[in-house]
Amino acid sequence: MKFKTTIAKGAAVAALLFAGAAQAQDNLRLGTEGAFPPFNFIDSSGELAGFDVDIGLALCAEMGRTCDLVAQDWDGIIPGLIANKYDFVIASMFITEERKKQVAFSDPYYLAAMSFVAAKDAGITDFSTEALSGMTFGAQSGTTQADFIQAVYPEADLRLYASQDDANLDMASGRLDLMVGDTIPLSDWTLKTDDGACCEIIGEPITDPEFVGDGVGIAIRQEDTELVEAINTALAAIIENGTYKEINDKYFDINVRTMKAE
């Protein structure tokens, strides 16, 4: 009888361990930056929030998975994914050939362009390499915006920042002649914030595929092919069932999948 009781207890423990392992496998870790409003930011309660976060959580719900949020500085966001700190990254990351060498990407979940920002009285109308040579540019470190400035304006004084907010601060303080960043966040900053009132978006949007890639995608480790497929299936589903539009309309006046008003 004692032997049978031991077996029964062992079976119960095994069942609990199996259930725990299954539950752990159902959990995913979503990595994002938390410093790129309105796409990802820390809200007034200290929680990660924004368009990227809401889309990521909607994808998790569609996949039937529980997701934990992980904040990561931009410079370390791809190394953190490769090091298994989280399972996928949704942080407004352009899909570029260079990044494809390190990670896999989902289908694009929105389109994006980059823009120049300058002080309202700057009077800059010529954006040629020669005209802007020697000017002081600002951009977030490790971004395609920084790559663009280095490639097109090699003689510029480029200052790199840990976050877009840090770059905005120096732009507002008059320490930069120009700044390059994603169009939508910079539009929000210049039109909807007090410190951004100093400045305006100038020139045409920068849409060169060499720098903006094939849109904005979700980064996944290259070996996690099943997760790539699952995320793509879930993305198509939330677009089809209207969840994507609800989230889009919470943050934007345009459809960011097409960059057009509806």
Side-chain angles (χ1 to χ4, degrees):
M1 180 66 68
K2 182 177 180 181
F3 177 75
K4 290 181 180 178
T5 302
T6 302
I7 293 295
K9 287 181 179 178
V13 170
L16 287 172
L17 290 173
F18 179 80
Q23 184 176 14
Q25 289 175 350
D26 283 338
N27 289 343
L28 288 172
R29 297 159 298 163
L30 187 165
T32 194
E33 183 186 11
F36 194 59
F39 291 97
N40 55 79
F41 56 91
I42 306 297
D43 67 15
S44 58
S45 63
E47 301 294 326
L48 283 164
F51 175 77
D52 288 335
V53 174
D54 286 359
I55 291 292
L57 293 177
L59 293 173
C60 290
E62 183 65 33
M63 292 186 289
R65 309 286 289 271
T66 300
C67 276
D68 300 320
L69 302 177
V70 181
Q72 170 65 55
D73 290 345
W74 180 260
D75 281 352
I77 207 157
I78 287 180
L81 175 64
I82 294 170
N84 200 33
K85 188 173 180 179
Y86 26 80
D87 299 302
F88 65 103
V89 170
I90 181 163
S92 292
M93 186 180 293
F94 289 168
I95 302 169
T96 65
E97 292 303 316
E98 191 62 30
R99 287 173 178 156
K100 286 179 183 178
K101 296 175 184 177
Q102 302 180 75
V103 298
F105 280 100
S106 70
D107 296 333
Y109 68 100
Y110 78 89
L111 299 181
M114 305 185 299
S115 289
F116 294 98
V117 167
K120 286 183 175 177
D121 59 356
I124 297 172
T125 58
D126 185 348
F127 295 89
S128 66
T129 301
E130 295 74 21
L132 301 184
S133 178
M135 286 198 173
T136 302
F137 279 78
Q140 186 176 3
S141 176
T143 62
T144 52
Q145 292 88 357
D147 294 341
F148 168 79
I149 297 166
Q150 290 172 325
V152 180
Y153 303 102
E155 300 302 319
D157 175 14
L158 174 57
R159 300 182 184 180
L160 299 175
Y161 299 87
S163 72
Q164 186 63 53
D165 284 344
D166 291 340
N168 292 350
L169 190 61
D170 263 12
M171 188 77 232
S173 300
R175 299 187 184 98
L176 301 173
D177 298 313
L178 284 159
M179 183 168 66
V180 177
D182 281 4
T183 300
I184 291 176
L186 290 186
S187 178
D188 276 4
W189 181 66
T190 55
L191 297 175
K192 299 178 182 179
T193 68
D194 291 339
D195 59 335
C198 63
C199 305
E200 62 184 351
I201 289 178
I202 60 173
E204 294 295 320
I206 303 160
T207 57
D208 186 339
E210 181 179 351
F211 302 104
V212 302
D214 301 319
V216 176
I218 299 160
I220 305 115
R221 284 182 293 275
Q222 291 177 337
E223 62 270 23
D224 292 343
T225 54
E226 291 185 4
L227 183 57
V228 175
E229 183 177 347
I231 286 175
N232 282 337
T233 300
L235 178 59
I238 67 169
I239 291 170
E240 178 67 24
N241 66 27
T243 301
Y244 184 101
K245 186 177 188 306
E246 289 179 12
I247 297 170
N248 180 100
D249 294 351
K250 176 181 174 181
Y251 294 97
F252 309 113
D253 297 327
I254 63 170
N255 181 342
V256 294
R257 288 186 58 244
T258 62
M259 296 300 284
K260 295 178 181 179
E262 290 189 339

